[in-house]
Each structure stands twice: as structure tokens, then as C-alpha cells.
Amino acid sequence: MSRIETIYPADRVALREVGLRDGLQLVKKFPSTDAKQRWVREEYAAGVRHFEVGSFLPAKTFPQFVDVRDVVGTVASLPGAHGIALALNERGVNEALESGVGEIASVVSATEEHSQANAHRSRESAIANIKRLCELRDASAQKPLVNAAISMALGCSITGAVDPKEVLRLVDKCLEAGVDFVAIADTVGYAGPKQVGEMSRAAVKLAGSRPICIHLHDTRGMGIANAAAALDEGVRILDGSLGGLGGCPFAPGATGNVVFEDLVFLCESKGFATGIDLDKLIAVRKILRDEMPNEQLYGGMARAGLPGGNARAA
């Protein structure tokens, strides 16, 4: 069995909690290192196994990720836990490799305008960057997984509608460059279930034996419906953030990710075992409330509780 099959088995759903990275991009106050480590450990105790822990970006611009190596180490200390970190250039990739993180994520924008705003490079340059990342992975000792996310894949708040054929061209280019899998990202919550389903079906077919991930934002309240559409079309890796935190700082109108707790309930209700205890997971929100008291937290499960149970305070 290959490493990717071990980390992301094809016969089950893998839910990735991205709150520690995407979730902290727009917050005005962020958790201490100790709180982040408790966040990981308590979610792990609830059954979460996939954690996006931060970015290897300049600390001056993104001080919330200055302790990313510490959080990588916390995930690595937990049996069966898998850490993911973002790197957008060769310097960041080398730092990620030195950290020993299990997976390195990078980004290719579906539109030229967002590519320039987000990474100050063309899309073709971003593809070349992905190829270089894969070369560095292959030359490394630990050979982490590599994924490429196609941001603004379902609509761009800068340019508007995005041609699905162009997105699939970029998916194919990333696979050709050597990534282990590709994520389809609705960066600003542009799409509805029909569009997400069609894109998911096409991407799953194109990727063949390699998995496809769906990364959704809940800008227009379509996050859970879109996740259901992706599941129906064979997507088995899904991103969400605790309390619905998140948003891209270089995408006008960006709001939080699909709520991770609600995503767990969706998967369980559709017959996909997640291994996650929802009561324990919801309890982790206390760390967010204590550390970031002015941040709005979202989620139907936290508000209403499991069917037949007692309602909870959000």
C-alpha cells in the first residue's frame, strides 16, 4: 500500500480540519502556541486525524504562523495523526521539509487576476512552482505528500465565472507535475450544489486512481449542500474548520470555511463513518472562545446538538 493510500484510504472519507491554517488567516487575535497545541490534542482525542497546521510564510506578514514548527511537532507526536502545511515558494518548501511535516500544500489560482493578487505570479509560474516542489519532495529523505489546491475553481470574486475546462486543465497540469492529489477550492463560496457536483465528477474522472479533495467556504450558506454534492460524485477528502473560521486575505468577500462539526454530521448521516465523536469535537470550541472571544463562531451542531439530544450554546 502506498503512503497516500495509508493516509487517505480510498474506501473511506478523510476529513481535514483546516482551522489552524485557513481558519486563522483573517482573525484579529490568534491563539497562543499552547492553545494551538491543546486544540490539536483535544481534537485528536475526539477522533480527528488530519490537521492543516499553518503556513511557511514570512512571519512579518503572517505572525499567526510563526510557531508552525511547534504545531507540526505536536501533530507528529500523536500516533496516526497527519499534519499539513502550506508553502508558496522554494524557501517555504525547504522550511516545510526541514520541519518534517507529513504533507505540503501549495496553490494554483484558477484565474490570472487572483494568482497575481494572492501569490504575485502567473498561473504558469505557479505550475512551475508545483513542479519544483515535487522535485524537492523527491530529493528529500521523508518524501511528504504534496497537494495542489486550485483556488477560485468554482468562481472568482475578482473576475466572476470560471470556465470549468480551464480548471480541469490546471488539475491535469498539477497531476502531470507530480502532485499526490489535487484539491478543488471554492475560495469565496461562489457555487451551488449542481456546479460543485459537476466539477467534482469531472475532476474525479480525470484524476483516476488519485484522490480529489474539496475545499469549501460557506459565504452563501451552500457549504454543507456543496459538500454533499461532492460526496455523491466520489470525492472522499473534505476540508472544514472548527466553528467555520477562515477566509482568504487576498480574495474580496471571503468568509469562513464550511463548519467542520457540521461536516462530520453530514458524512455520518450519509453513511460515511468518520471516527469522530461530535460531543468531544464541539467541546473544543471553548479554546476558540477563550483565545479569540471577539471572533464569530458558526455551526448548526453546536447550536442545536445531535438529534434527540440537548441543545448547546454556540
Side-chain angles (χ1 to χ4, degrees), residues 246-263:
C248 175
F250 305 108
T255 59
N257 292 267
V258 63
V259 177
F260 190 69
E261 307 93 294
D262 296 354
L263 192 58

Side-chain angles (χ1 to χ4, degrees), residues 23-43:
L24 299 182
Q25 288 193 140
L26 292 181
V27 298
K28 296 177 176 62
K29 182 180 182 292
F30 41 88
S32 66
T33 302
D34 176 70
K36 289 181 181 181
Q37 292 170 322
R38 284 189 287 116
W39 182 345
V40 168
R41 287 192 292 266
E42 290 187 22
E43 284 198 334

Side-chain angles (χ1 to χ4, degrees), residues 8 15-21 36 39-54 71-72 74-76 78 80-85 101 103 260:
Y8 297 109
L15 300 182
R16 312 195 311 172
E17 214 282 80
V18 304
L20 283 154
R21 199 280 297 176
K36 289 181 181 181
W39 182 345
V40 168
R41 287 192 292 266
E42 290 187 22
E43 284 198 334
Y44 178 84
V48 180
R49 291 297 180 266
H50 298 80
F51 302 87
E52 190 176 50
V53 297
V71 188
V72 166
T74 299
V75 174
L78 301 170
H82 178 66
I84 306 135
V101 72
E103 179 177 330
F260 190 69

Side-chain angles (χ1 to χ4, degrees), residues 130-168:
I130 296 292
K131 185 175 182 180
R132 178 60 178 156
L133 166 52
C134 292
E135 291 170 350
L136 292 168
R137 170 205 60 196
D138 293 343
S140 69
Q142 74 273 29
K143 294 180 173 54
L145 297 181
V146 169
N147 88 70
I150 311 299
S151 61
M152 299 291 191
L154 291 146
C156 177
S157 57
I158 300 173
T159 64
V162 173
D163 183 355
K165 292 179 181 177
E166 184 62 13
V167 175
L168 293 172

Side-chain angles (χ1 to χ4, degrees), residues 191-199 222 224-230 233:
K194 182 176 185 292
Q195 187 181 355
V196 170
E198 290 171 351
M199 176 58 70
M222 288 288 101
I224 288 296
N226 289 344
E233 297 299 342

Side-chain angles (χ1 to χ4, degrees), residues 164-223:
K165 292 179 181 177
E166 184 62 13
V167 175
L168 293 172
R169 182 186 75 84
L170 295 171
V171 170
D172 194 42
K173 285 282 188 182
C174 289
L175 294 171
E176 189 179 86
V179 301
D180 293 287
F181 67 96
V182 172
I184 301 296
D186 189 8
T187 311
V188 288
Y190 201 99
K194 182 176 185 292
Q195 187 181 355
V196 170
E198 290 171 351
M199 176 58 70
S200 296
R201 185 187 318 124
V204 166
K205 182 179 180 181
L206 179 62
S209 62
R210 283 179 280 191
I212 288 291
C213 171
I214 193 80
H215 178 96
L216 299 167
H217 287 253
D218 202 32
T219 312
R220 294 168 178 83
M222 288 288 101

Side-chain angles (χ1 to χ4, degrees), residues 268-280:
E268 295 283 352
S269 71
K270 288 177 72 66
F272 296 101
T274 66
I276 297 172
D277 184 312
L278 262 171
D279 286 321
K280 290 182 178 179

